[in-house]
Amino acid sequence: MAINNSNNHYDDLAIEVRELTKSYGKVRALRGINLQVQRGEIFGFLGPNGAGKTTTIRCMLDMIRPDSGKALLLGLDPQVEPVAVQARTGYLPGEMQYYDNLTSERQLHFFNDMRGGCAEWDYVHHLADRLSLDLKQPIKNLSKGNKQKVGVIQALMHRPELLLLDEPTSGLDPLMQQEVLGFLREANSTGTTIFFSSHIMSEVERLAERVAIIRSGEIVEVTDTVSLTHSAVNRITIRFKRPTDFNALFTIPGVEVLSQMDQTSVTLLVTGDMEMFVHSMSDLPVLDLETERPSLEEVFLNYYKK
Amino acid sequence: MKRLWTTFHYTFSNLRWQIIGWGLGLGLYGLMIIPMYETLGAQPERFQQMIASYPPEFLAFFGADINSPITPAGFLKMYAFSMLPVIVGIFAVISGSGLIVSDEEHGRLDLIIAHPVGRLPFFWGRFLGLLGAMVSIMILGWLGFSLMLGRSSIGFNWGQMAIPFITLLIQILVFATLALVLSMLLPSRNLSAMVSGAFLVISYIIPSLSFLDQRLDMISRVLPYRYFQSVLSFKELNLTWQFALLGSCLIMVVIAWLRFNQRDIRLSGEGSWRKR
């Protein structure tokens, strides 16, 4: 990715990651990651477990130090000014762990004190009410989903400029997932930049404006969510009037057979330009053709096959 | 400064039950041991007889001879203070090894350190919290040992009684900082607690045995307990030894801080021996 050197361009960036590498012993977790996230953007970071999503986020917050490369958040280097970066950032880790003997409220007071007491407590109660979370309950009595709610509140309660969320809806029921995604949209509407990792495609589809796909520590694609879901792959089911030899279709670049019942029906995954595929069907006795917009999941899996 | 204070405040608060438990235990021990001198002192012949019945090796183990337990200072050294570094050292080892790494191994440090605290105020806030807890335990212990002095013929005042607690504090500080630095260098808290706990016991046994076997004298010179002085006057206190021990504590804390500042914060379970 080319990096624009104009100052205005940098001012517009909430996150800029340049050639970030990180190894754990012999395991290369990040292999030269480049990312740019605009201020006010909702950015999804997709990848399966172990792809490097969490490592990237932890590098951004100076919890781990990269071997090389740099991450800039809100124009600041977290390795040089970690406190300034963390003061303006909200973070939700992938796995929330607390002091179990505290109540949710005491735990949130602890986090607030660690932030210098800048949270508005009315806002905390408002968030808790919307999430149906009883703040008086000891943490040890909470379910995984309720613990996640406490995590969401601590990330949002000081109204940060930038939110770094590692799988934000993990452990939440669908209703609460909607509520949390609603919070994030509301925060974004007031100017908060949101960078979130996920392996749940529907979540990214619903929330993100742009998305980066990471595979084995490398960014394989950065694009807007709509383009990704529309242009990358199409699932096509063709039914023929009579048994037909359609093997010629399989020789077209980017065409892959998903299922083939008999000689009258086939489902294909077509990657890239459809023109050649449509041309080659003109000689075939097509009865019906159904094109499905692929889910991001299929797009994602398609990338992983590459 | 506020960030350091916040961390100190939470660390100290979290250690409150340990302070109460260890401090009261130590204080109650003092409340019992001082009147015990009166009981034994009331029958000096029988006390002398009892001491004489001890094997000389046993007395030598405590650095005493047949006459020394009968004196107030000797009595306190043998019956009150000789074992305290190893007993309170257990608190020091457990607290020192878990000061930072306990939260890390439980997966909490990741989120805590993501708050705008800074590693420097966080580390020193925690360390000062532990130091505050150790000082508080010593104060409670000292109070327990001093409360009965007015009714005792042991002949020491509250100020004199504070001296062994100062040297005891330095002793446990050595083991706490050792456990802390090891927790930053070794892969798990359990391992650092095990190594520093073993050092605590060895540090007690070898100098004690060196009174019996001169060949152990060289080894005992590098062990902290050798320099534990349960004396009751500043004149007898070897300040060089005490400052050398404090210096070693400072070096270990600085190494631990540098290591903490440089290293990656682990996620829960990473590097631990615990089964997942």
Side-chain angles (χ1 to χ4, degrees):
Chain A
M1 182 181 288
I3 294 172
N4 189 331
N5 283 323
S6 83
N7 285 336
N8 286 343
H9 176 72
Y10 284 119
D11 289 346
D12 290 342
L13 292 177
I15 298 172
E16 186 184 20
V17 176
R18 297 181 206 161
E19 296 297 334
L20 205 64
T21 65
K22 176 70 186 172
S23 296
Y24 299 109
K26 289 180 182 173
V27 179
R28 291 181 68 199
L30 299 179
R31 302 165 186 239
I33 293 224
N34 288 300
L35 271 179
Q36 290 188 336
V37 178
Q38 302 292 321
R39 286 186 195 242
E41 193 175 11
I42 304 183
F43 194 93
F45 197 37
L46 273 173
N49 296 333
K53 301 187 300 289
T54 301
T55 300
T56 306
I57 293 176
R58 297 180 82 231
C59 278
M60 288 179 188
L61 283 168
D62 191 41
M63 281 177 270
I64 53 176
R65 272 69 191 265
D67 300 333
S68 64
K70 187 170 260 194
L72 295 176
L73 272 71
L74 304 165
L76 303 168
D77 185 343
Q79 284 194 62
V80 180
E81 299 172 90
V83 174
V85 169
Q86 289 155 352
R88 295 164 66 185
T89 308
Y91 170 58
L92 177 70
E95 211 172 303
M96 291 298 300
Q97 301 290 345
Y98 305 97
Y99 294 105
D100 282 345
N101 53 336
L102 298 182
T103 62
S104 307
E105 191 159 30
R106 282 296 306 152
Q107 183 69 66
L108 289 169
H109 271 295
F110 168 71
F111 288 132
N112 189 35
D113 288 344
M114 297 302 268
R115 289 203 168 274
C118 61
E120 297 162 31
W121 219 246
D122 286 346
Y123 183 53
V124 171
H125 284 288
H126 166 71
L127 293 174
D129 288 344
R130 280 179 61 184
L131 288 170
S132 312
L133 178 69
D134 179 5
L135 292 176
K136 303 291 180 197
Q137 282 282 321
I139 296 271
K140 63 186 168 197
N141 294 348
L142 298 184
S143 65
K144 185 177 186 292
N146 281 336
K147 285 181 183 175
Q148 184 73 1
K149 291 176 188 175
V150 179
V152 169
I153 294 172
Q154 71 77 30
L156 288 164
M157 66 183 183
H158 59 291
R159 300 182 191 270
E161 286 174 57
L162 172 64
L163 275 168
L164 298 174
L165 312 168
D166 197 353
E167 310 204 351
T169 58
S170 167
L172 296 176
D173 62 52
L175 215 60
M176 285 301 137
Q177 283 183 16
Q178 284 296 331
E179 197 65 52
V180 168
L181 296 184
F183 286 164
L184 300 182
R185 280 192 206 98
E186 284 167 29
N188 179 250
S189 69
T190 61
T192 302
T193 308
I194 298 168
F195 180 93
F196 72 102
S197 76
S198 181
H199 57 254
I200 305 167
M201 310 306 147
S202 55
E203 180 177 287
V204 179
E205 272 183 311
R206 275 184 284 169
L207 190 65
E209 295 159 6
R210 284 201 305 144
V211 59
I213 296 179
I214 184 170
R215 178 181 64 180
S216 306
E218 287 178 299
I219 302 286
V220 292
E221 181 74 22
V222 181
T223 186
D224 61 281
T225 316
V226 177
S227 306
L228 192 70
T229 48
H230 277 84
S231 66
V233 283
N234 283 289
R235 187 169 51 209
I236 297 171
T237 304
I238 311 163
R239 280 191 293 278
F240 299 97
K241 291 174 185 167
R242 54 182 179 274
T244 305
D245 178 13
F246 45 76
N247 285 337
L249 291 176
F250 306 159
T251 61
I252 301 168
V255 173
E256 192 184 328
V257 182
L258 287 182
S259 68
Q260 183 181 348
M261 298 298 286
D262 49 37
Q263 290 298 97
T264 60
S265 172
V266 66
T267 302
L268 305 167
L269 197 69
V270 182
T271 308
D273 199 337
M274 295 275 285
E275 193 178 354
M276 195 190 286
F277 176 75
V278 172
H279 266 295
S280 46
M281 277 204 305
S282 59
D283 298 333
L284 299 174
V286 177
L287 174 69
D288 181 34
L289 186 143
E290 193 181 314
T291 304
E292 277 181 79
R293 208 184 113 203
S295 70
L296 199 49
E297 188 125 21
E298 284 164 317
V299 176
F300 180 54
L301 290 172
N302 192 48
Y303 271 103
Y304 272 77
K305 282 180 198 160
K306 287 178 185 173
Chain B
M1 199 64 191
K2 190 184 176 188
R3 289 177 278 138
L4 187 141
W5 167 250
T6 304
T7 310
F8 167 81
H9 163 74
Y10 272 101
T11 308
F12 190 77
S13 304
N14 287 342
L15 287 167
R16 63 190 181 281
W17 295 113
Q18 283 96 315
I19 295 170
I20 292 167
W22 286 94
L24 286 184
L26 203 55
L28 287 172
Y29 181 56
L31 285 173
M32 289 189 300
I33 206 82
I34 299 295
M36 198 174 125
Y37 181 77
E38 300 306 308
T39 313
L40 295 172
Q43 305 165 66
E45 291 82 17
R46 291 186 69 181
F47 187 28
Q48 185 85 48
Q49 231 174 1
M50 185 180 82
I51 298 296
S53 69
Y54 291 162
E57 293 81 5
F58 178 79
L59 291 170
F61 189 82
F62 292 98
D65 57 40
I66 193 160
N67 294 315
S68 56
I70 297 166
T71 64
F75 170 82
L76 286 174
K77 182 181 179 184
M78 184 167 163
Y79 286 97
F81 295 121
S82 64
M83 290 286 283
L84 287 187
V86 81
I87 293 170
V88 192
I90 294 167
F91 163 78
V93 165
I94 292 169
S95 304
S97 63
L99 190 65
I100 306 282
V101 176
S102 175
D103 277 336
E104 194 172 27
E105 290 188 354
H106 285 97
R108 294 187 290 253
L109 192 60
D110 193 44
L111 182 55
I112 295 171
I113 215 77
H115 284 73
V117 189
R119 292 196 189 195
L120 188 142
F122 178 78
F123 179 89
W124 290 102
R126 286 229 161 166
F127 176 71
L128 291 175
L130 175 61
L131 183 62
M134 290 196 291
V135 170
S136 305
I137 291 170
M138 291 302 108
I139 290 172
L140 288 172
W142 167 66
L143 288 174
F145 273 76
S146 302
L147 280 173
M148 300 299 280
L149 286 178
R151 295 184 182 184
S152 169
S153 62
I154 207 159
F156 297 117
N157 60 36
W158 286 46
Q160 286 171 305
M161 193 54 85
I163 297 168
F165 283 95
I166 293 168
T167 58
L168 178 60
L169 174 66
I170 294 169
Q171 284 287 309
I172 61 170
L173 194 58
V174 170
F175 294 109
T177 52
L178 175 71
L180 175 63
V181 74
L182 288 177
S183 74
M184 290 291 127
L185 298 170
L186 297 175
S188 74
R189 180 201 180 171
N190 287 347
L191 187 57
S192 61
M194 189 181 81
V195 172
S196 27
F199 184 72
L200 170 70
V201 175
I202 288 168
S203 175
Y204 174 70
I205 291 174
I206 301 282
S208 303
L209 287 176
S210 71
F211 293 120
L212 301 171
D213 188 340
Q214 286 297 309
R215 287 172 299 178
L216 295 172
D217 190 56
M218 282 300 287
I219 304 170
S220 76
R221 284 181 192 185
V222 296
L223 298 171
Y225 185 74
R226 162 91 175 214
Y227 306 103
F228 173 56
Q229 291 186 288
S230 51
V231 294
L232 290 129
S233 84
F234 270 110
K235 280 180 190 167
E236 293 175 69
L237 197 63
N238 187 327
L239 288 175
T240 309
W241 288 0
Q242 303 310 318
F243 279 111
L245 288 173
L246 281 175
S248 67
C249 292
L250 188 64
I251 290 167
M252 285 191 284
V253 180
V254 169
I255 292 170
W257 143 241
L258 290 173
R259 178 77 185 123
F260 177 65
N261 194 39
Q262 287 163 1
R263 79 186 177 98
D264 293 344
I265 303 296
R266 294 173 295 178
L267 286 173
S268 58
E270 282 178 7
S272 170
W273 284 0
R274 233 181 270 163
K275 285 181 183 173
R276 296 198 200 181

